[in-house]
Amino acid sequence: MGSYWIDTTDAPVRPPPEGDLRADVVVVGAGIAGLCAARELVRAGREVVVLEAGRVAAGASGHATGKLTSLHGLRYARLAHERGPEAAELYARSQEEALRRTVLLCGELGIDAELERVPAFTYVMDGERAPEVFLEAEAARAAGLDARYVTVTGLPYPVAAAVRVEDQLQFHPRRFLLGLAEDLVARGGVVHEGTRVTGLRELAECRLTLAGGAVVHASDVVLATQFPLVCHSGLMARLTVRRELVVAAPVAAGDAPEGMYFTEEDGVRSVRSAPYPDGRRLVIVTGEAVTPGAGGTGQRLARLEAWAHRHLAGFPGGPAPYRWAAQDVYSADHLPYIGHEHPDTQHVFVATGFGGWGMSNGVVAGPLLAAHVTGGPRPPWTELYDPRRLLPLREIGEVARSQATVARHYMAGFGPPPRCTHMGCELGFDESEQIWECPCHGSRFAADGTVLHGPATAPLERKDLP
Ligand code: FES
């Protein structure tokens, strides 16, 4: 269960700080949103320290599928209906700007991120859903994307209907992010790995505590850690978490479908391919989305591999050579939260709720967060992504449902199985990965109780289980 992107990149170790620190801005999390924000801030003349609990680009960004597209499932019709056509247009513009910016950054910094321009598709197999896809194509085009309704794609199996958007990007996400980190450090930024933030207080200035007791002072703090490690705003109640499995195998170049494909059917299926060192193409298939802690990873992997073998030319039968899992955070209204962490804060900012589209939304977050911190000109989509926005009425039910799930897992947590050290939900044990997972906000713990993924910051209590 190792990400292909992480296995194929070497990164210098960036050790934890030796004592207390001070910086203009502390960015927590060295994934795509954190690194993009940090780089913008360094360029704006700020002294920036990035604190990463694990390794650079080895969390959600290092496990993503590396699709950099403005087409996000069936989002535009819904957005236009709920927020109006202007909101859909702003969303499309912000995403297209992220694509443009990524190409620019790769060129400017000389990063070989295996960038490829390909079309992106959202498709359905169920003919009854074709009208929904038609409306999405119309809404995406009205929002400004080069989108059309099609019934033929580059996939080797038939689909009922699809939206096709031209000129989208796929890339090697970790190569891109390691290039950004290198540039950040070359410009005077500092990155510390293996550095877990355990607390944050905003007083006259921000004060972060680190596991081990060191303290970091900063004028501003950016939290780019999926679920924010502190939450004063109830934002956490408006987020849910989902895990998807990824399998990948090299196939003959002629067998790899050209383009990026996504369907919500079958528990989500996503297909793309990437260059492979021996001239073949690596076909990457994602799916089998579940809430963390649901278990059954072995069966779900086998189901995904069997699907890939049945549907995609050249994809081998049996266990795929590469297997990993990706974890994503979803907002209640399907728009990311990028901006002030709560209505009263002036100096703590978040970027979260990317809903499975973290590559483009992470790049969107960078300059937007930097503009919040510096007070510079803000992009026209600032309000669209503001975490302080009101929920549309219909989303309130969704929040209530997700909170009821949290409450159920919390109540269940008083029994013998381990409880999460974040807010006490009952954990599920994944046999295949030998990991404890929290269904409430996605914390993950090694079998010995060590925190692998927040928002939890404290290890599990040792106890003998029956
Ligand atoms: Fe919040 Fe477990 S991650 S309760």
Side-chain angles (χ1 to χ4, degrees), residues 79-400:
L79 200 47
H81 175 69
E82 288 175 0
R83 303 260 174 190
E86 303 78 17
E89 194 193 326
L90 280 177
Y91 189 81
R93 274 176 61 198
S94 68
Q95 303 297 320
E96 288 287 289
E97 169 61 18
L99 269 60
R100 196 193 62 81
R101 182 174 283 270
T102 305
V103 174
L104 216 70
L105 279 170
C106 287
E108 210 178 292
L109 306 182
I111 303 172
D112 176 11
E114 298 178 347
L115 264 184
E116 295 178 315
R117 275 199 187 275
V118 290
F121 298 83
T122 296
Y123 70 91
V124 294
M125 311 276 276
D126 174 2
E128 289 194 3
R129 296 191 67 191
E132 212 181 311
V133 173
F134 180 79
L135 288 179
E136 179 65 15
E138 294 287 294
R141 195 165 55 243
L145 299 182
D146 186 0
R148 35 197 182 113
Y149 175 82
V150 295
T151 51
V152 174
T153 70
L155 287 170
Y157 52 90
V159 306
V163 183
R164 174 181 175 131
V165 174
E166 305 301 331
D167 261 345
Q168 305 296 285
L169 297 170
Q170 55 188 18
F171 70 164
H172 189 309
R174 195 162 195 248
R175 279 199 189 185
F176 173 66
L177 292 176
L178 292 177
L180 277 195
E182 208 177 299
D183 179 64
L184 173 72
V185 171
R187 289 172 185 271
V190 177
V191 180
H192 291 297
E193 296 177 319
T195 306
R196 187 170 293 283
V197 175
T198 56
L200 164 62
R201 291 181 69 193
E202 184 184 358
L203 302 163
E205 64 176 357
C206 300
R207 184 179 189 276
L208 299 101
T209 41
L210 308 183
V215 171
V216 185
H217 294 276
S219 306
D220 294 277
V221 173
V222 170
L223 301 174
T225 52
Q226 290 205 319
F227 266 95
L229 70 114
V230 293
C231 181
H232 301 114
S233 57
L235 198 60
M236 209 165 271
R238 295 157 71 178
L239 294 167
T240 50
V241 63
R242 197 164 93 176
R243 266 183 99 65
E244 287 174 358
L245 297 175
V246 186
V247 296
V251 305
D255 283 342
E258 198 205 334
M260 301 178 285
Y261 299 87
F262 175 84
T263 181
E264 288 167 359
E265 292 174 346
D266 260 346
V268 173
R269 292 289 183 261
S270 148
V271 177
R272 65 157 283 200
S273 73
Y276 197 65
D278 64 4
R280 290 182 290 168
R281 300 279 302 176
L282 186 75
V283 171
I284 303 165
V285 182
T286 307
E288 298 294 325
V290 290
T291 303
T297 302
Q299 293 95 307
R300 289 188 295 117
L301 274 171
R303 205 155 50 223
L304 192 60
E305 284 157 351
W307 182 91
H309 179 54
R310 230 178 17 254
H311 287 82
L312 299 165
F315 202 98
Y322 301 97
R323 298 163 137 192
W324 70 95
Q327 188 155 304
D328 286 310
V329 172
Y330 293 74
S331 70
D333 62 0
H334 310 276
L335 285 169
Y337 297 120
I338 306 168
H340 290 86
E341 192 264 328
H342 65 92
D344 298 326
T345 184
Q346 291 304 312
H347 300 287
V348 179
F349 305 91
V350 288
T352 183
F354 296 161
W357 303 103
M359 295 294 100
S360 59
N361 277 315
V363 180
V364 168
L368 179 46
L369 289 164
H372 276 296
V373 171
T374 61
R378 296 179 188 184
W381 39 85
T382 303
E383 277 179 32
L384 183 71
Y385 296 124
D386 192 334
R388 300 167 297 185
R389 65 184 179 261
L390 292 176
L391 283 180
L393 266 184
R394 55 176 295 177
E395 310 298 351
I396 290 172
E398 206 162 304
V399 172

Side-chain angles (χ1 to χ4, degrees), residues 227 236 241 406 409-410 419-427 437-445 453-456:
F227 266 95
M236 209 165 271
V241 63
V406 170
H409 288 299
Y410 178 74
R419 291 174 61 183
C420 182
T421 55
H422 177 231
M423 285 170 66
C425 288
E426 181 183 319
L427 301 172
E437 293 180 337
C438 180
C440 292
H441 314 112
S443 288
R444 308 184 81 223
F445 302 86
H453 190 289

